[in-house]
Amino acid sequence: MGMKRWLACLLGLLLLGGCAKSRPIDQIQIIQQMGYDFKDDQYIGTAVYPTFKQGPMTKPNMLTTSSPTVYDLIPRLSAKSALPIEEGQLRLILFGKQFAERGIEQITHSLARNNKVGSHLFLGVAEGSAKELLDITAKTTLSDTLYLPNLIKQNEQSMNLPKTNLHLFLYRYFSPGSDPFLPYFEKKGGFVKLEGVALFRDGRYVGHVDLRDSFLMKILLGETKNGVYQLKVGERGKQGEDRVMLQNLWAKPTYKWRRDGDRHVLDVFVHIHASVRDYPSWLDEPGANLFTDVKKKMEKELEQDMRRLFHYFQEKRIDPMGIGDFVRSVTRRWDRESFYREYPDLDIRPHVTVDIIHTGIGE
Amino acid sequence: MSFLSFFKKKKRPSQLTMPQLWEKLRRSSDFVEVSFVVGRKELSVYYFDSLVDPKVLQENILCHLQNDLSRRPDVQLENLQQIVPIQRIEVSEDAAAIEEKVLKGFVVVSFREQPGKAALISAANENLGLRENNDTENEFSVVGPKVGFVENIGTNLHLLRRQIVTPNLVFREMMIGSVSKTKVVIAYIDGVANPETIRTMTQRIEAIDFDVVFDNAIIDQIIADNSKTPFPLFLSTERIDRAVYALVSGQVAVFCDGSPYAIIGPSTFFDFFTSPEDYSLPWVLGSFFRLIRFFGVMFSILASPVYIAVLTYHYEMIPEDLLGPIIYSRSNVPFPPVLEVLFLEITIELLREAGARLPTKVAQTLGIVGGIVIGQATVDAGLASTILLIVVALAALASFTTPIFKMSNSIRFIRFPFILFAACWGGIGIAFAVCGLLIHLGRLQSLGYPYLVPFYPLRVRNFRDTFVRSPYSMTAERPTFFRPQSRFRYDPENAKQKRDIDE
């Protein structure tokens, strides 16, 4: 009896083993980047896959196909590939601007349900065509197939780009009180340049802000420890002479929702610990406590810029900062419809405190 | 079943008479029978030439019998002790007992005037053909004593008594083996070891019915609670310090004549990963190296299965920077990852097996030839990937960190089911295999005590000497899972006192 049971188990194991779909790593075509474009009523799909030559040296290669529907693109790409295409190692999906304007829900919906794709996947928008951009990176980089994903990562970790990935995109997309945003790329000569943040309303591209404003977005979204911002502190005409380069060391926003008479007011308190990285030489004049002056000017200018940014969002009727979510968290019976009806006229008041922590050696 | 009855022990009462016994023994050419007359006494001396020490026989027995017997005609077999200066002299009328003794190297003396009776004088040459000493080469430790047990049980018991200087150290002797009549000794410390443990061990050993006990390992297997498990249920050691430590903790040791290993029971799974060196080093280092050893075991079991699972099923999991090296090194390999792994694993097992069977000097060369030449050639020929070669070699290396050879063999073995599971089911297969292994380990018992204790059943207090080796100020209490009779090894309060100032 015992023997029979063991044999049955073993047989079951062997038979079930046959059900698993094995994909040995050298027998699949791993695609690492994908581009989607819309041009002349046709969808164009571009896949970047690495080929490995001489050990760690990799060379990015491209596969392109066009189709009248989006879902048909990957099967059509397969028709051009010797090995089955697997999307499990995808690191970046780039959307052409035209494609993004028509809405990227078709892709993100399918990604949301795809268990092979990690939520660390980056999404991005290209100003012109995604294919062209991927083409440039494939040509300019020698061994790095992940040029764009690394670029995004680097900018998120040490520069002005707020954190984005598939997970955060989907979170903001499905959340009733916020709208998603993605990094925005442009082609500059023979190079690809990160230009700022592309803004979405219901999965459709509606506009973008530049890298300077994306710093404001970054510090307004939550506690951060990086990013740089250039500020005008004087009125000396010569270019560059009156600007201060501020490096964020630590910044934290606090939102307050209150009622002022019959209106609602949103106070945004931002506390920045900053280091002044570069400043004009006239600030160094001895005796004068000029940095207190600079600090005041910085605070004023930051507040102004933030007000402008919020106005821009309100005009576009988008909420990438997730103000709706914040208000929902502090109000009973929050109603999406009525909140966003009032949203364009909402009184948002930024209050910035800048603490200059240090200014380098030799102060 | 009739043919099996041949092997069964027949306990019929001995009907043998003395002349019949001598007749039976005379068939062998090394049986010597000397008869001579001293004074008015006619006496015969019987012994096995191959077993007795000729020096003892001549100087202590024959010499005294010849010289003193004539001067003292009153000496009977019973008071032979008066003239023969040997401490162990017995008088017996039982032919079967005499047979057994004479086969153990006793000299039989009988007087014509006392028929049916014989004196048995011990003249066995116990060390002839045996090693005098043993450097603990199989359980080597850099610091600490290097004297190990030898094949002679008398020496082993002596070594033990030298370190445990208390009358509570009890040896209980037994005879096992219908042909070999091997002396087996159970050692324990009375008042520490649980009587239940001692009783179980004694019962199990007494119940053994076997012909020749070559080694303690045979006893180990026969008395094991579960004979189907690949894991050793009793610790076997050639180190004195380990045996002493076990006795002091309330375990029981079994010695067997002809075996340089003591088996210690009840043992837990974690006993097999402690090295005496842990106790010689400061506790921080000792604990660290012990943790490294546990990591080594896990790595050794899981490394190649994980390689298979990831490369066959879960390419999504590979970090982007590793993707290039892995795919590149796999690109020329014609086999699926399973065959690749099995090929290399079996190569390593072959090397290890061949190395163990060859003389030491040849084995060293073989290791180099096998490791470097075959490995490199395999990769160059495109039969295996470079990364796998590293993984398999590291896994093999990690399995050597286990201090007890028996356990490292089990770990060697347990890898292969894991590899099959990983090949069939990928990551979930490995998870199943790990669950299966844990269930199996959780069900094992050693002498009726749980094998995975203090992990399962959980005994948090006893974790002091499992994953980490706590400082001596904290290990005064004996592990409670062996149910020792006394709780403390030494005074815990005294051990905790700080003596920074000399008074």
Side-chain angles (χ1 to χ4, degrees), chain B residues 107-219:
Chain B
V107 171
V108 184
V109 177
S110 72
F111 292 162
R112 162 75 49 98
E113 57 184 52
Q114 288 177 291
K117 248 189 192 179
L120 297 158
I121 306 166
S122 168
N125 190 355
E126 286 188 336
N127 275 328
L128 187 68
L130 295 181
R131 280 193 293 177
E132 288 288 311
N133 48 40
N134 175 14
D135 295 340
T136 53
E137 272 170 13
N138 297 330
E139 284 173 67
F140 189 75
S141 129
V142 181
V143 284
K146 286 173 191 61
V147 183
F149 293 125
V150 293
E151 280 81 353
N152 186 345
I153 193 167
T155 314
N156 292 349
L157 297 182
H158 161 80
L159 290 170
L160 210 58
R161 249 204 215 285
R162 278 233 311 229
Q163 287 214 332
I164 305 179
V165 188
T166 157
N168 288 339
L169 175 63
V170 178
F171 295 140
R172 202 180 275 181
E173 193 178 316
M174 271 173 265
M175 200 73 87
I176 308 296
S178 55
V179 173
S180 66
K181 303 262 190 286
T182 310
K183 186 167 148 190
V184 172
V185 169
I186 298 176
Y188 58 89
I189 298 182
D190 204 21
V192 176
N194 191 298
E196 194 62 41
T197 318
I198 302 163
R199 204 174 310 132
T200 318
M201 188 61 114
T202 318
Q203 271 173 1
R204 288 210 187 157
I205 289 182
E206 270 171 350
I208 292 176
D209 184 5
F210 206 66
D211 53 355
V212 181
V213 180
F214 293 103
D215 188 64
N216 235 339
I218 290 170
I219 297 180

Side-chain angles (χ1 to χ4, degrees), chain A residues 7-122:
Chain A
L7 280 176
C9 284
L10 211 69
L11 196 71
L13 188 133
L14 282 174
L15 292 177
L16 277 174
C19 298
K21 187 180 148 217
S22 77
R23 301 159 295 177
I25 191 162
D26 47 333
Q27 286 163 33
I28 47 173
Q29 190 67 268
I30 287 170
I31 55 173
Q32 288 188 318
Q33 294 173 69
M34 194 70 208
Y36 288 100
D37 283 308
F38 184 76
K39 205 174 180 186
D40 306 331
D41 284 339
Q42 285 266 316
Y43 290 100
I44 301 168
T46 313
V48 181
Y49 63 92
T51 44
F52 299 97
K53 287 176 184 163
Q54 304 224 327
M57 287 286 278
T58 53
K59 188 167 170 13
N61 287 312
M62 312 261 296
L63 277 177
T64 312
T65 191
S66 59
S67 159
T69 66
V70 179
Y71 302 130
D72 199 25
L73 283 172
I74 291 205
R76 279 189 188 220
L77 283 174
S78 283
K80 291 187 177 178
S81 164
L83 296 169
I85 286 182
E86 287 286 348
E87 66 269 37
Q89 282 277 352
L90 262 181
R91 304 286 159 167
L92 172 76
I93 293 182
L94 201 59
F95 302 101
K97 197 167 164 184
Q98 277 197 11
F99 185 95
E101 275 165 357
R102 292 174 62 88
I104 62 170
E105 298 106 316
Q106 292 185 72
I107 307 292
T108 52
H109 258 123
S110 112
L111 288 175
R113 282 175 287 106
N114 192 339
N115 61 348
K116 285 181 194 165
V117 175
S119 53
H120 263 293
L121 169 71
F122 290 120

Side-chain angles (χ1 to χ4, degrees), chain B residues 92-114:
Chain B
S92 175
E93 293 178 40
D94 180 11
I98 294 169
E99 180 188 324
E100 197 170 280
K101 285 278 153 67
V102 88
L103 283 167
K104 284 279 174 196
F106 280 66
V107 171
V108 184
V109 177
S110 72
F111 292 162
R112 162 75 49 98
E113 57 184 52
Q114 288 177 291

Side-chain angles (χ1 to χ4, degrees), chain B residues 261-467:
Chain B
Y261 282 89
I263 60 175
I264 290 161
S267 298
T268 69
F269 182 68
F270 299 99
D271 284 351
F272 293 89
F273 299 100
T274 59
S275 157
E277 210 156 74
D278 298 347
Y279 299 94
S280 311
L281 295 171
W283 73 272
V284 182
L285 299 187
S287 308
F288 176 70
F289 292 129
R290 194 177 278 186
L291 288 174
I292 292 245
R293 230 172 280 137
F294 281 109
F295 170 76
V297 171
M298 276 191 263
F299 183 83
S300 174
I301 294 177
L302 292 175
S304 39
V306 166
Y307 175 87
I308 294 176
V310 169
L311 262 69
T312 328
Y313 297 101
H314 314 293
Y315 72 93
E316 296 96 338
M317 306 297 298
I318 304 172
E320 56 200 37
D321 298 329
L322 264 181
L323 202 62
I326 288 180
I327 293 183
Y328 174 71
S329 72
R330 270 284 303 171
S331 56
N332 291 323
V333 181
F335 312 121
V338 206
L339 287 184
E340 193 191 356
V341 166
L342 280 179
F343 178 77
L344 270 188
E345 287 280 359
I346 286 171
T347 311
I348 292 238
E349 291 303 314
L350 285 178
L351 277 173
R352 209 192 286 204
E353 202 57 30
R357 303 286 157 261
L358 280 171
T360 329
K361 280 174 188 154
V362 189
Q364 277 175 3
T365 329
L366 184 89
I368 296 166
V369 171
I372 299 171
V373 178
I374 298 182
Q376 193 55 44
T378 316
V379 170
D380 284 346
L383 292 179
S385 70
T386 345
I387 290 182
L388 180 65
L389 193 68
I390 299 167
V391 168
V392 170
L394 280 180
L397 195 65
S399 74
F400 286 124
T401 55
T402 319
I404 302 287
F405 183 64
K406 277 205 243 170
M407 188 49 102
S408 86
N409 279 344
S410 309
I411 288 162
R412 248 166 97 176
F413 170 78
I414 215 79
R415 272 219 292 273
F416 288 93
F418 270 77
I419 286 173
L420 289 183
F421 269 93
C424 286
W425 286 354
I428 200 154
I430 295 179
F432 275 152
V434 170
C435 291
L437 181 69
L438 287 180
I439 291 168
H440 177 70
L441 284 174
R443 284 169 50 117
L444 282 181
Q445 289 186 334
S446 167
L447 224 61
Y449 290 86
Y451 192 52
L452 267 193
V453 77
F455 188 64
Y456 173 82
L458 189 66
R459 298 283 177 268
V460 179
R461 281 168 72 88
N462 297 325
F463 268 112
R464 282 171 192 162
D465 195 13
T466 48
F467 289 114

